[in-house]
Amino acid sequence: MLKGPILAAWLVYLLCHGYPVKSKVICGESDMTVWFEKYPGLQEDDLRLNDPTNTACKVRTNSDFVFAVVPLSGCGTQIEENGENLTFTNEITNNKHDVVITRKCQLELKFECKYPKHGKVKQSYSGHRENITVLEKDLGTFTYQFEFYPNKNFRTPKKSKLYPLNCDYKQRIYMQIEVTSSVEDTELFVESCRAAQYDNPNYEPTYPIIDNGCNVDPTVEIHSPAHQKQFRFSMEAFKFIGSDDQVFISCSVMVCKLGRPDTRCSQGCIKSRKRRDDQQHHLSKREAVTQSSRHFISQGPLRLVGSAESTVSPVINLNLNLVFIAGGLLAAVGMISAVVIYKAKISRVTYQPFES
């Protein structure tokens, strides 16, 4: 929950069919409320937010208005952070998420809320992403959960109040994706994972971690899951060169009928481009029955606060200091002892006259 004065609330929109879109946004402590007047030619059935796969993120309508209540930490809301402010951005469009081009005027209502990042805001804000629930024909309702864990035991996830999660360079980050399904005999498949500075599926550049079911990052390790609906993996932390220290991890995931050889899940890692295209063509007619669509799930941000050396250097430096101190003390004691012995020997020396 964000507290404090709101710096700005912006709306950017296109003019469709010659009608200006009258709209308004209200920035709340934990969400953004946006609405606009209906205009002739509006395709209401295709209205959606940045995250169309989450059934909880709906754009609603009545006789006169289109409106939505958008959480600051969900529904595809993008977060940008600078030294002074937190900016939350989302968008209402009426184009289908699987359509690449269009030759019709499409609604693009972009809105954002900006909050000052003073003490109260920073302590009360959490970047932790909530679970995503999806409803698909023949596969029922299922919920994705993406969490970070402190170690390879995967017992208790990191608490949401700790986000953003601070970590050091090369520190191993443990992650688990799990799906809960209303249909038995299903399995989870993580097809790809990547890292980006912002939680936006269209943001570039990105760094590939897993691609087409194959490990890409050399530090990735796959850990044994407790069951078929879990995926556990880890990698060493990093940051993007010449940018902010925050990193989001996002993955493309899907659910398949367990034990079916004609699903993408059963294929695992596919390195050949031709084989992957053949597989896509082969599954196109049966994909709705044996496997779900691909869904985008993310978690973060991770924040790089130190280096790998810093996690061990204090102990090393301390040990070295102790060695130097101990050596210095021994050297001092040795010098004092040598002086004492030397003086003692001098005190025992007697003199005798030479014979003439």
Side-chain angles (χ1 to χ4, degrees):
M1 181 180 295
L2 293 173
K3 299 179 180 180
I6 299 169
L7 292 184
W10 299 94
L11 284 166
V12 181
Y13 53 85
L14 294 181
L15 301 180
C16 293
H17 307 289
Y19 294 93
V21 180
K22 297 180 181 179
S23 53
K24 186 176 182 180
V25 62
I26 297 178
C27 302
E29 294 182 349
S30 59
D31 53 42
M32 299 178 285
T33 302
V34 59
W35 70 87
F36 63 90
E37 290 183 347
K38 289 183 178 181
Y39 60 87
L42 176 64
Q43 301 175 6
E44 299 181 24
D45 295 337
D46 296 329
L47 291 173
R48 64 180 185 89
L49 293 164
N50 272 346
D51 184 6
T53 62
N54 192 342
T55 56
C57 303
K58 291 184 178 180
V59 179
R60 307 180 185 277
T61 62
N62 57 27
S63 58
D64 299 316
F65 293 94
V66 176
F67 58 94
V69 179
V70 186
L72 297 179
S73 59
C75 297
T77 299
Q78 303 166 24
I79 306 169
E80 295 185 14
E81 180 180 0
N82 56 30
E84 299 179 354
N85 303 313
L86 290 169
T87 303
F88 300 82
T89 307
N90 211 311
E91 181 181 18
I92 295 179
T93 61
N94 65 342
N95 60 308
K96 297 181 179 180
H97 68 276
D98 55 350
V99 175
V100 179
I101 68 169
T102 181
R103 290 184 170 87
K104 297 181 180 179
C105 181
Q106 301 291 334
L107 172 72
E108 293 183 7
L109 182 71
K110 297 181 180 180
F111 54 95
E112 70 176 39
C113 289
K114 185 178 293 185
Y115 300 83
K117 194 177 67 175
H118 49 68
K120 291 184 179 180
V121 173
K122 190 172 183 180
Q123 293 176 2
S124 59
Y125 166 68
S126 174
H128 180 267
R129 270 35 184 173
E130 301 299 328
N131 300 344
I132 294 179
T133 301
V134 180
L135 174 63
E136 285 204 11
K137 183 180 179 181
D138 300 320
L139 287 174
T141 302
F142 43 94
T143 301
Y144 294 109
Q145 183 180 21
F146 190 175
E147 298 291 349
F148 290 100
Y149 285 78
N151 52 52
K152 62 182 179 181
N153 294 327
F154 293 97
R155 292 180 180 174
T156 304
K158 296 269 190 178
K159 296 181 179 179
S160 59
K161 66 180 181 180
L162 298 178
Y163 284 70
L165 297 177
N166 293 333
C167 56
D168 296 317
Y169 291 98
K170 292 189 175 182
Q171 176 183 338
R172 186 152 288 275
I173 308 300
Y174 296 91
M175 294 162 278
Q176 175 179 290
I177 301 176
E178 184 172 4
V179 63
T180 303
S181 175
S182 59
V183 179
E184 298 295 331
D185 299 329
T186 55
E187 60 180 327
L188 171 69
F189 180 64
V190 177
E191 189 172 42
S192 65
C193 290
R194 61 182 183 173
Q197 292 177 253
Y198 300 103
D199 186 23
N200 181 352
N202 299 317
Y203 181 82
E204 296 291 343
T206 61
Y207 174 75
I209 301 171
I210 298 173
D211 187 39
N212 297 302
C214 307
N215 296 349
V216 177
D217 182 89
T219 68
V220 170
E221 292 183 11
I222 307 300
H223 302 272
S224 300
H227 48 76
Q228 296 290 339
K229 297 180 181 180
Q230 281 183 349
F231 181 75
R232 293 172 173 175
F233 66 110
S234 65
M235 63 176 295
E236 292 182 358
F238 63 91
K239 72 179 289 288
F240 287 91
I241 298 175
S243 62
D244 295 336
D245 294 335
Q246 70 176 16
V247 175
F248 288 88
I249 308 297
S250 60
C251 297
S252 175
V253 297
M254 62 195 315
V255 174
C256 304
K257 294 290 185 66
L258 184 63
R260 295 291 296 268
D262 57 347
T263 64
R264 177 67 186 90
C265 302
S266 64
Q267 299 300 313
C269 171
I270 300 178
K271 296 183 179 180
S272 171
R273 176 70 184 180
K274 183 178 184 303
R275 183 184 175 189
R276 183 166 66 249
D277 292 340
D278 292 343
Q279 181 68 15
Q280 288 290 99
H281 178 73
H282 178 66
L283 294 177
S284 60
K285 294 183 179 180
R286 289 173 287 178
E287 191 172 15
V289 178
T290 60
Q291 66 186 43
S292 72
S293 302
R294 290 163 179 81
H295 302 112
F296 180 85
I297 184 171
S298 64
Q299 193 56 272
L302 300 170
R303 181 165 296 165
L304 278 295
V305 295
S307 64
E309 291 78 5
S310 66
T311 59
V312 294
S313 58
V315 177
I316 295 175
N317 291 337
L318 179 61
N319 291 338
L320 290 176
N321 290 335
L322 290 175
V323 171
F324 287 130
I325 292 172
L329 290 175
L330 289 176
V333 171
M335 293 176 64
I336 295 172
S337 300
V339 172
V340 171
I341 293 173
Y342 177 73
K343 287 185 176 181
K345 287 183 177 181
I346 292 178
S347 64
R348 291 197 298 269
V349 174
T350 58
Y351 294 91
Q352 294 181 352
F354 287 105
E355 295 180 358
S356 58

